Every structure is written in C-alpha cells, then in structure tokens.
Amino acid sequence: MARVDHVAFESGDPDAAAAFYERVLGARIVKAEGHPVMAYLGGATSIALHERGGPGFHVAVRVSEEERLAIAERLDELGVSHQERDHDVATGLFFADPEGRTFEAITYRTGEDPRRAS
C-alpha cells in the first residue's frame, strides 16, 4: 500500500533550507554524498532538498517492488510515459498525473530508507 515517503524541492542552498526545517519543525538532517539533503520529520515522512537542476518538485510514495512494477504496467496501459531512476539506495519510478504534477513511486532496496537511521 502506497504511503507518502517524501516531498522534494530544489534549492539554491539546500543546507540553509534544511537548517530552517530543523529549527522550525525539529527535522533531523542527514547529508550523504550523491544524495539530496534529507530533513526527516519523524514517522516515515521527509523533505528531500535537491540542488537546482535536480528532479524538480515532486511527491514520492513508498511502495514495494511488486507495487512499483504494477504501477508501471498500469501507466503503460494508460499510455502515460514514465522513467525509472536508480538512486543507489532505492529505485524511483517517475511519472506525471493528468495535470502535470510529478510523482515518484519509490522502492528502497532494504525496504526502508537506510539514511533515516543515520
């Protein structure tokens, strides 16, 4: 069953944006080489802060591998273009809804975001 995993923003200064979420929302900040700055908000939700020119604003829902493959099949049936991206720790399936909003169906290799425990 899909659940919201993260929302992603692009920022001219991801570190400053993360510091804001840390001060205001009490987010736990994790930085890992080659990944966006992550602001974890407790539970299973986070904010991913990418450098400008990254994947753009999107909402990611966490799904199992079987669910991600089924979503890709349904998108194919509907003629909706999609693209998989390897994030090292996860695989993301990116697609747009009928109004152009970008979504990602993300599957973590270990079932959970390993950066969350960092």
Side-chain angles (χ1 to χ4, degrees), residues 5-96:
D5 182 77
H6 67 270
V7 295
F9 303 107
E10 290 187 358
S11 171
D13 189 346
D15 291 325
F20 173 82
Y21 294 121
E22 183 177 38
R23 285 191 305 273
V24 174
L25 301 175
R28 187 174 62 82
I29 307 305
V30 175
K31 299 178 197 178
E33 184 68 33
H35 294 276
V37 177
M38 299 299 293
Y40 292 101
L41 302 172
T45 303
S46 59
I47 300 169
L49 298 156
H50 294 269
E51 295 281 343
R52 296 218 190 279
F57 173 78
H58 65 273
V59 174
V61 293
R62 186 181 305 189
V63 296
S64 69
E65 183 169 357
E66 295 77 20
E67 289 169 318
R68 191 183 78 253
L69 296 172
I71 291 167
E73 283 184 30
R74 288 193 296 271
L75 291 169
D76 286 339
E77 290 168 3
L78 294 169
V80 175
S81 65
H82 52 87
Q83 176 186 26
E84 275 201 356
R85 295 184 193 160
D86 185 343
H87 301 312
D88 292 326
V89 297
T91 300
L93 175 68
F94 287 82
F95 59 96

